[in-house]
Amino acid sequence: MKETILKKAGEIFSKYGFKSVTMDDIANGLGISKKTIYKFFKNKVELVDEAVCYFHEEMHKTISNICAVGYNAIQENFEIKKTFKDMFKNSDDSPMYQLEKYYPNTYDKIIANELSVFKECINSNIEKGIQEGLYRKDINKELTIKFYFSLMLSIHDSSLYTYNKNTINILELSVLEYHTRAIATAKGLQILEEQLNKNEI
């Protein structure tokens, strides 16, 4: 039951943010009483913390599964993006921004973990792309990873962007295109254009 609550809470938080969602909303979404949730979590802060950590672990498993399929490096990034496109589809605000504002301890923990996983994932993707002739051999991998991570984080800065339905998806796709164009070979750019043409937000 605890895992079921974490899974549902993660889905609801990612769609509607952390501020407005109540324990009643989560209980109603699961068809259980609020009392049942309090058997496992003493308050909303604890539920947010555990739900976010659980959600990120599941997300990383999904990414690992996609990477194991054998797509080329550019397609791999688009497949990952496609898998998570429903995550922020209905959000008028950035859940990550809300997490930073209202649950800073959880945010700091997630960002530290995310940077580590992101580094490993993107480094593997860059090495694969170089071997496939899709990314240039002369790129500075460390800087490229930091630039990409910084751009992805900036999407969730409400002082930079105004969010409407699907804004985050559009911004993420734009960042992925920007990142790929910065490091792609001529062959890689062809594949990028193919992916952009068939990608639907």
Side-chain angles (χ1 to χ4, degrees):
M1 176 53 86
K2 184 176 182 179
E3 189 173 336
T4 302
I5 295 169
L6 288 173
K7 187 177 180 182
K8 190 65 178 179
E11 288 172 6
I12 294 172
F13 287 140
S14 69
K15 281 187 178 179
Y16 304 109
F18 296 93
K19 185 186 175 185
S20 59
V21 172
T22 65
M23 297 295 254
D24 283 313
D25 293 330
I26 294 163
N28 290 337
L30 284 161
I32 61 174
S33 70
K34 194 162 62 171
K35 197 174 175 182
T36 304
I37 297 176
Y38 282 116
K39 284 181 186 175
F40 300 97
F41 309 96
K42 61 183 178 184
N43 52 38
K44 186 181 171 184
V45 173
E46 189 175 284
L47 175 58
V48 166
D49 188 77
E50 290 198 38
V52 169
C53 291
Y54 175 83
F55 193 71
H56 272 255
E57 282 174 19
E58 291 301 303
M59 198 167 75
H60 296 151
K61 285 178 193 171
T62 301
I63 290 170
S64 294
N65 290 338
I66 292 169
C67 293
V69 171
Y71 297 114
N72 68 56
I74 293 172
Q75 189 180 3
E76 182 176 272
N77 283 335
F78 275 86
E79 289 297 323
I80 290 169
K81 173 74 193 76
K82 197 192 301 178
T83 301
F84 296 109
K85 76 174 184 177
D86 290 334
M87 197 182 297
F88 301 122
K89 201 167 187 177
N90 300 313
S91 183
D92 286 329
D93 197 357
S94 162
M96 287 298 284
Y97 169 75
Q98 287 189 18
L99 192 64
E100 182 181 19
K101 187 173 180 181
Y102 300 106
Y103 302 93
N105 291 337
T106 299
Y107 176 83
D108 290 343
K109 182 165 65 175
I110 287 299
I111 290 299
N113 181 51
E114 197 62 25
L115 178 56
S116 172
V117 173
F118 188 92
K119 269 184 182 175
E120 189 180 322
C121 184
I122 299 303
N123 188 63
S124 296
N125 180 267
I126 289 171
E127 287 181 353
K128 180 197 273 193
I130 290 171
Q131 288 173 3
E132 293 170 338
L134 305 181
Y135 300 150
R136 300 191 321 274
K137 292 179 181 176
D138 61 345
I139 60 176
N140 184 321
K141 285 191 281 185
E142 190 177 342
L143 274 180
T144 299
I145 291 165
K146 286 178 179 176
F147 288 161
Y148 190 23
F149 188 72
S150 298
L151 279 171
M152 278 298 188
L153 265 188
S154 75
I155 287 168
H156 301 281
D157 186 344
S158 64
S159 67
L160 292 174
Y161 302 104
T162 302
Y163 302 103
N164 297 303
K165 292 280 187 286
N166 221 25
T167 299
I168 294 173
N169 271 329
I170 293 165
L171 290 172
E172 283 190 346
L173 183 63
S174 296
V175 167
L176 176 54
E177 180 184 355
Y178 187 89
H179 162 74
T180 309
R181 287 192 187 282
I183 63 175
T185 60
K187 181 183 173 185
L189 288 173
Q190 286 182 336
I191 292 174
L192 172 63
E193 292 299 338
E194 289 168 12
Q195 290 298 317
L196 290 171
N197 286 335
K198 67 182 182 180
N199 191 77
E200 292 180 12
I201 297 177

